[in-house]
Amino acid sequence: MQTIHVLDPLVANQIAAGEVVERPVSVIKELVENSLDAGATHIRVRIEQAGKQLIDVDDNGCGMSEVDAALSLQRHATSKVQLAEDLHTIASHGFRGEALPSIASVSRFRMLTAQEGEEAGHEITVDGDAVVVVRPAAPRQGTHIQIRDLFFNTPARRRFLRTDRTEETLIVELMRQFALAYASIHIELFCQGKKKLHYAISKDEKKRLSDVLGADFVSNSSLSEQDYEGIVVRGYFSLPTFHYRDNSKIRFFVNGRLIQDRSLLQAMKMAYQDVMFHDRFPWAVIWIELDPAEVDVNVHPSKKEVRFRQPQKVRSAVVMCARQAIEASGQTAVQTSPIMEETEKPMRAQQNPMPSVPRTPSVNTSFSTPQFQSKKAQVPTPEITQALLMQVAETDANYQEKTTLNLGRPLAQIHHAYIVSQTESGIMLIDQHAAAERITFEAMKKQLHQGNVSRQHMLLPMSFEVNDEVAQYLEKHANDLGKYGFTVEEKEAQWLIVAVPSLLGKENPVLLLDELLESMMCIGLEMESGRILERWLGNHACRQSVKAGQTLDMRAQESLLRQMEQTANIAQCNHGRPTYIPLSLDELDRMFGRKG
C-alpha cells in the first residue's frame, strides 16, 4: 500500500511559508529586500493592525515585465541564480525564489508592476489558492505589493502572533535597520495611516545615524575602519562609558545584509573587555565588506545568519577595528544631551555607578586545586588574542603624539574621593580611584605585552604548599610564570616564591600567585594573555590603586592628573566607570541661570 505521496503545491507553499513567513515583519523583510535588489531609491511601507490586516510596500525600482511578474509567483523562480556555482557568489538579498509564492499562499496578494518604457503595467492577484490572475494595469515605475489578511487561511498561525504593539515594534526596528544599512535610500513607514518613520536620502552618514539612533550615539561614538587581509570592517563604536543592558544595540551588516552572529558579538565583547562592565554592552553599527565567495548566505531559512569561510579572520578584523576606535576615543569623556528616549537610553556610569565587585580568592594562603567556576568563561580565540595584543602595541607606539588631553590644574580634593581641577574652558571632576586604577592597569598591560614585567625580589623567599596537581603543573610551567613577573623555585621538595611583579608588590604573594595559576590552568597557556588582562590584572590593578577615602596633597593630585594625560583609555576605569567628567563654563552658567 502506497503511503508516500507528493504534496499539493498549495500545501507545499504553506509549509515553505512556515519557514520564510513567521510573522508580519518577516513579510516586510522579504519585500523590502526585493525592492533593494530591484535598485529602488525610495521605499514606502504601510501597515494596518501591525501588518495582520495590511502590508503595503511600494518602490521605484526596475519593475517586472508581465512574464516575469507571473513567474515570480512560482516556487524557485528567481533572476538571481542560474547555476549551482552561483550559490557561492551571491551578492543580492534574495535568491531562492520562495518568498513571493510563500507569502501569496497565506494571504490575499496583489502586485502592480511595470518596467520602464512599457506602455502598460501589470496586475497580479492571488487569493491564497495558488491561482495566479494576470490583468493589465496603468503604467507605473517600480513595484507595488499589497498583502491583506495575513494567515487568513491558516488561523492556527495567526493565533501564535503577538499583540499588535509587539508586532509593530518589530517592524519599526526592522525599518530602522534598513535605514542604517542604506543611507542612500529614502525610507518611509506608515502605521494606521500615520507616518511613523521618515528617512530622506542623506549623503551625511552621521545625520542618518543621528536620525535612527539619536544624537547621543553620534556624539558618544567614533568612526573606525580596518582592512584586514581583504576584509573591510567599518563602523561607529560607542565610548566604553556609553553602554546598554544587552547586545541588541550592536548591529552587523555583511555586504549590506543585516545578520545575527554570536561569534561576532563575542568578538565585540572581547574588544571592550578591559574598558567596560562585564554585564554591559557597547552600541555599534558595523559594516563588513568581503568577497561574496567568502561568505555563505544560504544557511538560514530567513537569511538572518551567514557562515564565513574564514570566521577567525572576520572576528579578528572586527576586534582590531573596535580596539582602534576605543584607542582613538580613549581620552574622551561621555557626552549626553538632557533628554533621551527611555527605550534608547543606555546606562551612564556617572549617573548610576555600578560598584565593582572584588573577586573572592578561591583558596586560602596555601595551595589547593583551583576551584573552577561552573559557568564557562568567554575565552578569546588565538586570533582574537593576537588582535588584542597587536592593538596594545599600536596604542603604545602612537599614543604620545596623539595625546591632547588637558586636565588643567588641581584646585581641591572633595570627600577624599574626587579632585576638582580648573581648565581653560571650565572645570573637571576626577574620580581619583577610577583614574589610578586605569593608570595601574595600562602600565601592567604594557609591561605584559613587552615581555618585561618588572620584578621585586623578596628579602626572604616565601614557601608555599601545593597539592599533587599543582606541583605537576609547576614542574612543567614554572618558567611561564616569569612572563607575569613571578620567579618560583623548587628546593628540597618545597616550592619558594623568589620574586613578584613590582606593580603588585603590596599584595599577598601567595594569594597573588594562586589566582594567576588558577587562571592559567583554567584557561590554558595558549589563550591566557587576552583573558588575563581582564580576569587577573584588572582586579589587582583595582586593589593596588589610589583608593577613594585616601587623602592626596596638591603634589599627589598634580602627579595623578599628569599621569592621566599620558595614559591610554583613561576616560574610563577597567570596569567601565568614567574617570573624569568635564563641565564647561557655558554649562556652569546655565546651571546658575546666567544663560538661557
Side-chain angles (χ1 to χ4, degrees):
M1 177 180 177
Q2 180 180 346
T3 58
I4 297 177
H5 57 277
V6 178
L7 290 173
D8 180 88
L10 176 59
V11 177
N13 278 338
Q14 289 186 353
I15 292 174
E19 295 181 339
V20 178
V21 187
E22 300 176 61
R23 58 204 325 160
V25 70
S26 307
V27 175
I28 294 174
K29 178 178 183 293
E30 296 291 344
L31 297 182
V32 171
E33 287 182 344
N34 283 347
S35 297
L36 293 171
D37 287 340
T41 58
H42 186 185
I43 301 173
R44 181 185 294 112
V45 178
R46 295 183 176 91
I47 61 171
E48 292 181 10
Q49 199 179 332
K52 301 171 187 177
Q53 181 178 335
L54 172 68
I55 294 174
D56 185 301
V57 179
D58 194 356
D59 69 54
N60 65 347
C62 63
M64 289 182 282
S65 66
E66 180 180 344
V67 174
D68 284 347
L71 280 173
S72 70
L73 272 299
Q74 295 185 22
R75 288 196 71 196
H76 307 306
T78 178
S79 62
K80 319 294 174 50
V81 176
Q82 290 186 346
L83 304 174
E85 291 75 15
D86 295 339
L87 290 172
H88 304 299
T89 56
I90 294 172
S92 60
H93 287 280
F95 56 90
R96 294 182 183 138
E98 288 184 318
L100 288 184
S102 298
I103 293 168
S105 70
V106 292
S107 67
R108 306 188 196 280
F109 179 94
R110 180 172 181 255
M111 176 169 62
L112 298 168
T113 187
Q115 286 186 321
E116 186 177 355
E118 287 188 317
E119 295 181 356
H122 321 288
E123 180 183 14
I124 314 291
T125 58
V126 184
D127 200 16
D129 56 4
V131 177
V132 179
V133 179
V134 182
R135 301 186 185 92
R140 58 163 288 119
Q141 180 181 5
T143 301
H144 182 189
I145 294 179
Q146 289 181 335
I147 309 296
R148 294 187 180 274
D149 302 327
L150 185 63
F151 300 134
F152 79 97
N153 54 354
T154 53
R157 295 286 306 281
R158 197 176 180 92
R159 284 196 297 269
F160 277 92
L161 295 179
R162 305 292 292 276
T163 64
D164 287 359
R165 182 176 181 180
T166 299
E167 298 293 342
E168 183 177 305
T169 298
L170 293 173
I171 293 168
V172 170
E173 179 61 21
L174 173 71
M175 297 307 293
R176 283 177 172 161
Q177 309 284 23
F178 280 124
L180 288 173
Y182 297 97
S184 60
I185 295 178
H186 184 182
I187 293 177
E188 294 178 282
L189 173 64
F190 293 81
C191 302
Q192 298 297 121
K194 298 180 180 179
K195 185 177 289 187
K196 187 77 172 182
L197 299 176
H198 179 263
Y199 302 118
I201 294 175
S202 177
K203 294 182 179 180
D204 184 352
E205 189 173 64
K206 286 190 174 182
K207 183 181 185 307
R208 175 59 67 91
L209 286 171
S210 179
D211 290 342
V212 178
L213 299 178
D216 277 333
F217 172 73
V218 175
S219 61
N220 289 284
S221 64
S222 61
L223 174 64
S224 177
E225 186 168 352
Q226 188 76 229
D227 188 338
Y228 180 68
E229 299 186 16
I231 301 169
V232 178
V233 179
R234 183 174 175 276
Y236 287 83
F237 301 84
S238 70
L239 299 176
T241 43
F242 191 93
H243 40 75
Y244 197 66
R245 63 175 177 266
D246 55 41
N247 59 28
S248 63
K249 302 305 178 185
I250 304 175
R251 282 95 167 179
F252 292 103
F253 300 93
V254 175
N255 292 344
R257 183 190 302 275
L258 172 67
I259 68 155
Q260 300 170 355
D261 192 294
R262 291 182 180 179
S263 66
L264 293 183
L265 289 173
Q266 182 195 23
M268 283 291 291
K269 191 68 175 174
M270 292 299 172
Y272 278 82
Q273 67 180 356
D274 63 347
V275 293
M276 185 174 287
F277 283 113
H278 66 87
D279 60 347
R280 305 298 293 183
F281 296 84
W283 289 48
V285 181
I286 304 161
W287 298 274
I288 302 173
E289 298 290 334
L290 71 167
D291 186 343
E294 293 294 315
V295 55
D296 184 0
V297 299
N298 191 27
V299 297
H300 192 276
S302 58
K303 296 166 287 188
K304 293 179 180 178
E305 300 175 3
V306 299
R307 181 179 294 123
F308 299 106
R309 180 169 292 181
Q310 295 180 301
Q312 70 282 358
K313 286 188 178 180
V314 179
R315 290 193 295 266
S316 295
V318 169
V319 169
M320 294 174 70
C321 192
R323 291 299 299 186
Q324 180 175 284
I326 294 169
E327 185 267 329
S329 60
Q331 291 190 328
T332 305
V334 68
Q335 302 175 27
T336 58
S337 58
I339 301 175
M340 292 184 66
E341 292 293 332
E342 190 61 30
T343 57
E344 293 287 309
K345 186 175 181 180
M347 188 194 82
R348 300 294 193 276
Q350 71 267 31
Q351 293 172 343
N352 297 294
M354 292 180 65
S356 60
V357 181
R359 182 179 181 277
T360 304
S362 59
V363 294
N364 54 25
T365 54
S366 62
F367 276 97
S368 63
T369 304
Q371 304 296 310
F372 306 131
Q373 298 179 0
S374 58
K375 288 179 66 177
K376 288 187 177 179
Q378 281 190 321
V379 180
T381 63
E383 292 81 9
I384 290 181
T385 296
Q386 184 60 29
L388 287 169
L389 293 179
M390 286 173 62
Q391 210 65 37
V392 171
E394 293 176 9
T395 299
D396 182 52
N398 301 328
Y399 197 75
Q400 295 298 326
E401 60 188 57
K402 290 183 178 180
T403 180
T404 57
L405 182 64
N406 181 2
L407 295 174
R409 297 298 172 188
L411 299 177
Q413 184 186 33
I414 303 174
H415 294 288
H416 307 289
Y418 303 99
I419 296 171
V420 180
S421 69
Q422 179 176 316
T423 65
E424 292 182 0
S425 59
I427 63 172
M428 293 279 186
L429 302 177
I430 294 109
D431 182 334
Q432 66 186 43
H433 175 59
E437 182 179 330
R438 171 56 66 180
I439 292 170
T440 305
F441 182 81
E442 290 297 328
M444 296 168 69
K445 188 165 66 173
K446 178 180 177 181
Q447 289 185 8
L448 178 63
H449 169 71
Q450 293 177 340
N452 62 350
V453 177
S454 60
R455 307 183 191 191
Q456 175 180 312
H457 285 268
M458 305 185 70
L459 293 176
L460 294 174
M462 180 178 290
S463 63
F464 59 93
E465 298 179 359
V466 297
N467 60 27
D468 292 341
E469 182 183 359
V470 177
Q472 291 176 9
Y473 187 85
L474 282 171
E475 288 175 1
K476 293 181 180 179
H477 303 293
N479 291 336
D480 293 314
L481 295 172
K483 180 179 180 181
Y484 304 100
F486 273 99
T487 302
V488 297
E489 296 177 354
E490 184 181 17
K491 285 187 178 182
E492 299 177 357
Q494 188 177 34
W495 285 95
L496 303 173
I497 301 175
V498 178
V500 297
S502 297
L503 285 169
L504 304 176
K506 297 179 182 178
E507 298 232 10
N508 183 312
V510 176
L511 276 177
L512 194 62
L513 182 57
D514 174 36
E515 292 177 344
L516 175 59
L517 276 171
E518 179 187 349
S519 296
M520 293 171 65
M521 294 176 70
C522 179
I523 297 172
L525 286 174
E526 69 281 1
M527 295 186 185
E528 89 288 353
S529 295
R531 184 60 172 162
I532 284 294
L533 297 178
E534 177 185 22
R535 178 172 179 167
W536 184 63
L537 298 186
N539 289 323
H540 287 288
C542 179
R543 294 203 286 267
Q544 197 71 11
S545 304
V546 173
K547 301 293 190 295
Q550 182 175 339
T551 302
L552 300 179
D553 59 23
M554 279 296 176
R555 199 171 177 182
Q557 295 174 37
E558 177 82 23
S559 175
L560 181 63
L561 267 56
R562 301 293 79 80
Q563 290 181 66
M564 288 177 66
E565 292 171 348
Q566 300 300 318
T567 301
N569 303 315
I570 193 58
Q572 60 284 319
C573 74
N574 319 332
H575 307 95
R577 289 188 296 269
T579 58
Y580 69 91
I581 298 175
L583 287 175
S584 68
L585 283 174
D586 286 342
E587 290 173 308
L588 290 171
D589 286 341
R590 282 196 295 271
M591 288 179 184
F592 287 96
R594 293 179 177 272
K595 288 187 178 180

